[in-house]
Amino acid sequence: MKKIVLAAMLTAVLASGCGANTTHNTVSLYGKGLEMAQLLDKMAEDDAYVQLFSQNDGLKQVIQNIGSQTYTTPKAVYAVTDAGALFLQMADLPKDETLQKVIERKTSTVWTTQINGIQGAEFLAATSILLYDESFLYEGLQKPTTYLYTYDGAYSVAVTYIPYENGVVKATASILKADASILELLKQIPDITIEEVKQ
């Protein structure tokens, strides 16, 4: 009798655990992005980390400047959807749907690289040292979306979430040197949508 009761209890616990995992996201995109922004800050502030990737004094100075800013409390956060259109607006796309999906995923992070490239090769190289990505499970994200964390300083953080099959999302975080004018530029492109995100 005890074995039957124990088996029933174990089944109930397992069933409730499975149900929780399939119906609720345990990750907040806002929170995950903020966590990644603070990790970029740690990377920029850590001399040993920077030294591993570059001995160039100019690059180290740029990274030191990035690390001198505080990334704990954003001034505002914006969700930018279809930002890859900034890259694709003048391009001819292949007709194959699989290739279109590949291009959509690739270009959803390329736009931040393009903007950093305007600042010059040294700044672009410095921000490439501070790139960070990770994957996690998150249900419901339909298309690549970038959370843009803006701060009082000169630097923002762009965290791009790309959905894959079975609820897997890849997040890529990068430092972005841009002011409010970048949002105005993005608003001019018809396919891009921008919404302010509240915590």
Side-chain angles (χ1 to χ4, degrees), residues 2-145:
K2 287 182 181 178
K3 288 182 179 179
I4 294 172
V5 172
L6 185 60
M9 289 174 61
L10 185 59
T11 302
V13 169
L14 289 174
S16 65
C18 291
N21 287 337
T22 56
T23 58
H24 300 288
N25 287 316
T26 58
V27 175
S28 153
L29 295 183
Y30 183 104
K32 172 61 72 175
L34 193 56
E35 178 186 304
M36 294 177 78
Q38 291 169 16
L39 180 56
L40 295 187
D41 186 27
K42 281 186 180 180
M43 291 160 67
E45 291 178 349
D46 194 302
D47 293 337
Y49 172 84
V50 175
Q51 194 80 8
L52 280 172
F53 297 97
S54 178
Q55 308 297 317
N56 183 284
D57 289 337
L59 254 62
K60 288 194 280 188
Q61 183 59 57
V62 171
I63 293 172
Q64 189 175 44
N65 291 341
I66 291 169
S68 67
Q69 182 176 299
T70 301
Y71 297 87
T72 50
T73 307
K75 184 170 61 174
V77 180
Y78 301 91
V80 183
T81 307
D82 290 327
L86 179 66
F87 179 76
L88 296 174
Q89 59 181 333
M90 302 299 289
D92 292 326
L93 296 179
K95 292 182 172 55
D96 184 272
E97 289 185 8
T98 303
L99 289 179
Q100 288 178 9
K101 196 75 173 175
V102 170
I103 291 168
E104 179 186 51
R105 287 171 176 165
K106 284 180 175 290
T107 57
S108 54
T109 55
V110 166
W111 69 277
T112 57
T113 305
Q114 287 182 308
I115 291 169
N116 283 338
I118 296 171
Q119 305 295 328
E122 189 172 68
F123 186 81
L124 184 60
T127 53
S128 70
I129 290 173
L130 301 178
L131 278 175
Y132 175 72
D133 63 70
E134 64 176 79
S135 297
F136 55 93
L137 292 175
Y138 185 90
E139 297 291 341
L141 186 66
Q142 300 300 320
K143 54 175 57 181
T145 301

